[in-house]
Amino acid sequence: GAGVSQSPSNKVTEKGKDVELRCDPISGHTALYWYRQRLGQGLEFLIYFQGNSAPDKSGLPSDRFSAERTGESVSTLTIQRTQQEDSAVYLCASSSSSASGQPYEQYFGPGTRLTVT
Amino acid sequence: AQSVAQPEDQVNVAEGNPLTVKCTYSVSGNPYLFWYVQYPNRGLQFLLKYITGDNLVKGSYGFEAEFNKSQTSFHLKKPSALVSDSALYFCAVRDGRTGRRALTFGSGTRLQVQP
């Protein structure tokens, strides 16, 4: 079946502009995650959605960052007033989930490479 | 707080030789541990995970990892490396005691397998 898809694959924007990144998770996956990967570094957690529960926003680096998810489908990550330090690859992942918290593996999309000039 | 350390930025190994990519972790409860691989211009792919049970976990592409609680380690291993194994490898942990579902990733280790 289809994997996690993200769009756009690349985005170049000018400092101060807003950008919106999109993630389509695997169908049936109730959990959705956003991560950021700066050049040469590991993944940095941003936000997590699980069904209708309140999202875990503990990783968002500033109030310029926000994300939404419609039900158990598409999610959008919005960065307002972009700064050069926002340049990174933004990765989305989805997974199944259980009430007991048993960790299922996360399936990652190809990422959106954001460059702020 | 949970954390992961991958002490080697790069590991070089000759094709056919065994390989080890090191990972140590820190969590307050029981760890859930994962290895992912990232090939150039592609997303992360899941290799294997440890949740509970047998300390030796077998995964995709002939990889395995050994959970060592006393050393808080989860090293990735393969008996015979292939050139096609050359990629970036990430170890990740989740604390089984907290409700936080997100993974904490290490900084990654680049594996270079020479023919």
Side-chain angles (χ1 to χ4, degrees), chain A residues 33 35 37 40-43 45 48 56 58 91 97-98 101-106 108-110, chain B residues 32 34 36 38 41-44 46 49 51 88 90 94 100-108:
Chain A
Y33 308 77
Y35 293 89
Q37 185 179 22
Q41 298 185 23
L43 278 71
F45 165 71
Y48 159 69
D56 177 356
S58 61
L91 293 163
S97 185
S98 71
Q102 180 82 351
Y104 291 93
E105 53 267 30
Q106 297 176 23
F108 284 80
Chain B
Y32 298 146
F34 301 79
Y36 284 83
Q38 188 174 37
N41 300 316
R42 291 168 64 179
L44 272 75
F46 168 78
K49 67 180 177 182
I51 307 300
L88 191 55
F90 290 96
R94 183 188 137 188
R100 192 164 187 260
R101 305 292 175 96
L103 297 177
T104 297
F105 283 81
S107 55

Side-chain angles (χ1 to χ4, degrees), chain A residues 7 51 66 87 106 109:
Chain A
S7 61
S66 63
S87 296
Q106 297 176 23

Side-chain angles (χ1 to χ4, degrees), chain A:
Chain A
V4 178
S5 61
Q6 292 185 245
S7 61
S9 55
N10 280 284
K11 176 71 177 179
V12 180
T13 190
E14 292 180 354
K15 177 181 173 181
K17 296 284 180 71
D18 297 352
V19 295
E20 195 171 274
L21 312 180
R22 177 187 169 106
C23 171
D24 280 271
I26 292 172
S27 177
H29 279 186
T30 56
L32 187 147
Y33 308 77
W34 282 99
Y35 293 89
R36 176 170 69 178
Q37 185 179 22
R38 289 194 166 116
L39 188 64
Q41 298 185 23
L43 278 71
E44 175 188 5
F45 165 71
L46 296 176
I47 189 169
Y48 159 69
F49 295 92
Q50 170 59 54
N52 294 321
S53 302
D56 177 356
K57 303 181 182 179
S58 61
L60 294 178
S62 78
D63 58 8
R64 296 187 296 105
F65 288 72
S66 63
E68 293 182 349
R69 188 181 186 194
T70 307
E72 293 183 353
S73 60
V74 171
S75 176
T76 55
L77 176 69
T78 302
I79 309 173
Q80 296 178 309
R81 305 181 302 280
T82 53
Q83 303 294 314
Q84 288 187 330
E85 63 262 26
D86 299 334
S87 296
V89 176
Y90 289 82
L91 293 163
C92 175
S94 70
S95 73
S96 298
S97 185
S98 71
S100 66
Q102 180 82 351
Y104 291 93
E105 53 267 30
Q106 297 176 23
Y107 293 86
F108 284 80
T112 294
R113 183 174 299 277
L114 175 65
T115 303
V116 182
T117 61

Side-chain angles (χ1 to χ4, degrees), chain B residues 4-6 20 22 30 34 55 103 105 115:
Chain B
V4 175
Q6 293 182 244
T20 299
K22 295 180 181 177
N30 290 324
F34 301 79
N55 289 341
L103 297 177
F105 283 81

